[in-house]
Amino acid sequence: MNIAILGCGRVGARVATQLGASHDITIIDWNSSSFERLGEDFEGRTVLGNGIDVDVLRAASVGQADVFIAVTDGDNRNLMAAQVAKHLGVPRVLVRVYDSERCGIFSQMGITTVSPTIGGARRLYEMLVDSREDH
Amino acid sequence: MYIVVVGAGKVGFHLTKSLMAEGQEVLVIEKDGEKVDRIIAALGGTAIQGDGAEVATLELAGVERADVVAAVTGHDEDNLIIAQVAKGRFNVPRTVARINNPRNEFIFGQLGIDATVSATQIILSIIQQEIPEHPFVHLLTLQEGGIGFLQLHLGQDSPVAGKTMGEISLPQDTAVPLLIRRGVPIVVASDTMLQAEDKLIAVATTRQESTLRDYILGGEG
């Protein structure tokens, strides 16, 4: 699969290196030093630029990607970039959004949102309940 | 009318001031506490501190009864999402988003924002109107339907000069309802003869703007 990732932070870099062995990866970030997180073995393509700029996404051939993943540290930046990617014709768009309240209307637009806030809270809750049951 | 303004920078501050002077009910949402205090102290206005893209903040602001939400922060991505959340979650009838990077104007229109305001685009249009040699001027864009108003200044070599409107066939989704000849507006009919130096006021979908320009001006404009 051809996968485009926006945001080369901890999550973006980790997804890129994990998928890099078996997929074509393009990773976009506006800070060149972020690409250092990828390590020397990374064989994918890196693109320097602002991910909400339609011209940057076009130049990165995002329109040809099978999947677009937006994982910058800004919810709104991720949601806007995802809509631009969708507009460019990417069939599957995944977005990290911390504020889960915002997710509903965007899933109606065909954008899949992942909230680490909900996932993290649920996991902590489960761990707490499990440890109580152990006693 | 109840108007919620998100962002209390220079644009938000003066917008709020003008709306209050008109007697509108205005509430400002701003992240920066100092700017919130400034709105309250200088304008006697109502302002709350918070993230205007957050559902909880918009709820606190009573956005569900707002007639208009104007997102005028300095960040295009914030303005887009604020307008979309206001419309999608709270059914606000009219949303306006400020555009800082003119390249985002087209994409905002595609993404369903009712109206956009780009200072760069406005200033550019005014400058183009002031330059007499500029044969093609973008006057105004209506985001609903992506319709643009254009001014086309006919030269001697324009392919349509010397022809009547009835003799030419305009591209699809375009119209020329009006022209200005020697400073006088003339309503265009099928027997109106187009002349060099006429300024045609045209209406076209965004998609057809360049086709119309090439058809009227001969592709060099």
Side-chain angles (χ1 to χ4, degrees), chain A residues 26-47:
Chain A
T26 300
I27 187 156
I28 306 156
D29 201 293
W30 60 15
N31 183 353
S32 60
S33 63
S34 300
F35 297 130
E36 289 167 14
R37 290 196 179 93
L38 294 168
E40 286 174 5
D41 298 335
F42 180 69
E43 289 176 0
R45 194 160 67 108
T46 58
V47 175

Side-chain angles (χ1 to χ4, degrees), chain A residues 23-127:
Chain A
H23 299 283
D24 291 328
I25 306 287
T26 300
I27 187 156
I28 306 156
D29 201 293
W30 60 15
N31 183 353
S32 60
S33 63
S34 300
F35 297 130
E36 289 167 14
R37 290 196 179 93
L38 294 168
E40 286 174 5
D41 298 335
F42 180 69
E43 289 176 0
R45 194 160 67 108
T46 58
V47 175
L48 189 64
N50 183 352
I52 59 167
D53 189 325
V54 64
D55 292 342
V56 169
L57 295 184
R58 275 209 188 96
S61 307
V62 162
Q64 278 85 57
D66 301 298
V67 184
F68 179 80
I69 302 172
V71 285
T72 77
D73 58 1
D75 280 2
N76 295 341
R77 200 176 312 133
N78 291 340
L79 286 166
M80 178 168 171
Q83 291 178 67
V84 176
K86 195 95 197 154
H87 176 74
L88 293 175
V90 183
R92 244 186 121 191
V93 176
L94 308 177
V95 181
R96 176 178 64 185
V97 180
Y98 286 108
D99 177 23
S100 56
E101 289 283 318
R102 231 171 285 183
C103 297
I105 62 164
F106 296 100
S107 58
Q108 290 167 18
M109 294 178 187
I111 290 166
T112 308
T113 52
V114 180
S115 171
T117 318
I118 293 183
R122 189 187 300 131
R123 185 81 194 101
L124 284 168
Y125 173 80
E126 285 166 1
M127 288 165 79

Side-chain angles (χ1 to χ4, degrees), chain B residues 70-110:
Chain B
V72 294
T73 79
H75 301 279
D76 287 354
E77 65 273 28
D78 294 346
N79 294 340
L80 173 75
I81 303 305
I82 290 160
Q84 288 181 324
V85 171
K87 178 147 287 240
R89 179 76 184 250
F90 295 97
N91 298 315
V92 175
R94 192 150 180 89
T95 54
V96 182
R98 172 184 170 196
I99 293 174
N100 300 278
N101 179 351
R103 275 199 277 191
N104 287 333
E105 190 164 5
F106 171 74
I107 204 84
F108 270 47
Q110 296 289 308

